[in-house]
Amino acid sequence: SPVGKIKIAEDFEPHFEMFKHVVRIAKMLHAKYIRMFSFYHDGEEWTDTERDEVFCRLRKLISYAKEQDIVLLHENEKCFVLQPKDK
């Protein structure tokens, strides 16, 4: 699916609406699983603000999927490596 295949700087709300549509289609097809990604950005290093936004978006996607009895299968976007904040 295209879920999470946008830049972190892009507006999330239209993407979230598209995600809800993907969920509706999955349910119509009796598909319990949806593959998703973790967004991407330009540049080398992720900022704390970008990292926090990724987690905020993931929480929203996960919450909605859980409400709809859908399981998200996450694949890290290329070059996305989570580092602890205190590192």
Side-chain angles (χ1 to χ4, degrees):
S1 81
V3 177
K5 281 291 217 181
I6 63 171
K7 291 183 180 180
I8 196 66
E10 291 182 50
D11 185 9
F12 181 64
E13 287 311 310
H15 192 72
F16 187 69
E17 291 303 313
M18 178 276 302
F19 169 67
K20 292 194 293 189
H21 181 69
V22 168
V23 169
R24 285 191 297 274
I25 292 169
K27 291 178 76 132
M28 287 175 19
L29 297 172
H30 303 284
K32 186 161 179 81
Y33 304 101
I34 296 174
R35 179 182 181 204
M36 53 136 343
F37 297 85
S38 53
F39 309 98
Y40 58 97
H41 76 122
D42 294 322
E44 295 292 319
E45 298 293 323
W46 284 82
T47 66
D48 286 344
T49 301
E50 289 172 325
R51 179 185 176 279
D52 291 346
E53 182 62 22
V54 167
F55 283 118
C56 180
R57 291 177 180 197
L58 290 177
R59 279 191 293 274
K60 189 169 182 177
L61 294 169
I62 292 165
S63 177
Y64 186 78
K66 188 174 181 179
E67 289 172 12
Q68 299 298 315
D69 197 30
I70 293 290
V71 176
L72 296 177
L73 305 174
H74 178 259
E75 181 174 332
N76 272 345
E77 191 54 63
K78 179 183 169 188
C79 299
F80 183 76
V81 178
L82 292 178
Q83 298 292 329
K85 278 189 164 186
D86 60 336
K87 187 171 184 178

